[in-house]
Amino acid sequence: MNLPRIQLNQTFYKLGWDTQQPSYSFNPSRATLSIEQRPAEMVLNPTPPRVLIDQTECWADMDLKHIFRRNAEFASYGKQQVLQYISRVMQEGEQLRAIENKGNAIASIAKSKKLIPDHQFTYRNVPGNFSLKMQGVPGALNMEWREGEITVGVQQTPFEHHYEKGKITYHTLQKNRLDIDVIGGTIDIAK
């Protein structure tokens, strides 16, 4: 006899997962440095020394005078001669007026006047000694510095980093299940 019976088949729940590892990457910061230097400059401004020579008196000693100087000398000489003439005429007038001195004033005035003037001759150097004037002007040197410049340029790239979190993904591999089957339950009747 085949009695019915209950057969239970159970499958358990199976869980599966996928793991994604975390990742981290970075690029360090970099700096690009550029330096530009302009050199220093030195500027020299020299003033050369000079010798000043005045030859005016040398030319005058050789009787090669400028017309303005010659006119001034002639005017001075003319004034001196006029003053001497006035002085002489006054002295002669004083002599003529002094009749009480009992002298022959006209004869003495005539003797004092010379028909041939006296000349003086001298020997000297032409041009004269120390007639050349010299003067030295010292030179100068002016220095000017222009400082050089340094230009520094910095170009910096920032620090970069990338981080991805890790993930766990769950999924069902097998669901739980209970199968109930009735087995048997057939009766064999013999005939």
Side-chain angles (χ1 to χ4, degrees):
M1 177 164 151
N2 193 0
L3 292 175
R5 65 176 193 263
I6 295 175
Q7 183 179 0
L8 298 172
N9 285 329
Q10 181 181 4
T11 56
F12 294 99
Y13 186 82
K14 287 188 182 174
L15 181 64
W17 63 83
D18 293 329
T19 305
Q20 181 179 352
Q21 295 291 330
S23 68
Y24 180 71
S25 64
F26 70 93
N27 290 328
S29 66
R30 292 192 176 117
T32 305
L33 187 68
S34 63
I35 299 175
E36 182 180 342
Q37 181 179 8
R38 192 179 81 193
E41 294 179 17
M42 181 175 69
V43 179
L44 299 175
N45 294 321
T47 303
R50 294 180 299 159
V51 176
L52 303 176
I53 300 174
D54 185 9
Q55 303 180 57
T56 308
E57 293 303 317
C58 295
W59 292 111
D61 287 348
M62 293 185 290
D63 201 30
L64 298 172
K65 300 174 187 174
H66 192 270
I67 189 66
F68 295 149
R69 182 171 177 176
R70 196 174 291 276
N71 286 342
E73 287 178 357
F74 284 156
S76 174
Y77 179 74
K79 181 179 177 182
Q80 181 184 1
Q81 292 298 317
V82 166
L83 291 175
Q84 285 179 2
Y85 174 76
I86 292 172
S87 174
R88 193 183 71 221
V89 167
M90 285 178 58
Q91 287 175 1
E92 290 173 359
E94 289 290 326
Q95 287 178 2
L96 289 174
R97 187 178 66 145
I99 300 174
E100 68 273 1
N101 289 344
K102 296 200 182 179
N104 194 354
I106 296 176
S108 67
I109 291 172
K111 281 184 191 178
S112 67
K113 294 191 180 199
K114 298 181 182 176
L115 297 176
I116 300 174
D118 291 334
H119 290 288
Q120 284 187 334
F121 295 98
T122 58
Y123 173 79
R124 66 184 185 105
N125 292 332
V126 176
N129 295 334
F130 305 111
S131 61
L132 181 67
K133 305 284 191 280
M134 294 179 67
Q135 179 184 5
V137 177
L141 180 63
N142 294 328
M143 289 191 297
E144 181 182 336
W145 286 94
R146 294 181 187 151
E147 294 181 359
E149 293 180 356
I150 296 177
T151 306
V152 179
V154 178
Q155 185 177 8
Q156 188 172 6
T157 57
F159 177 81
E160 294 179 1
H161 64 94
H162 303 285
Y163 174 70
E164 272 186 44
K165 292 182 180 179
K167 280 202 269 189
I168 298 178
T169 309
Y170 298 99
H171 58 278
T172 304
L173 292 175
Q174 181 178 331
K175 293 184 179 181
N176 55 350
R177 195 166 123 183
L178 181 61
D179 291 330
I180 303 174
D181 288 328
V182 178
I183 300 174
T186 58
I187 301 175
D188 290 337
I189 303 175
K191 299 186 189 180

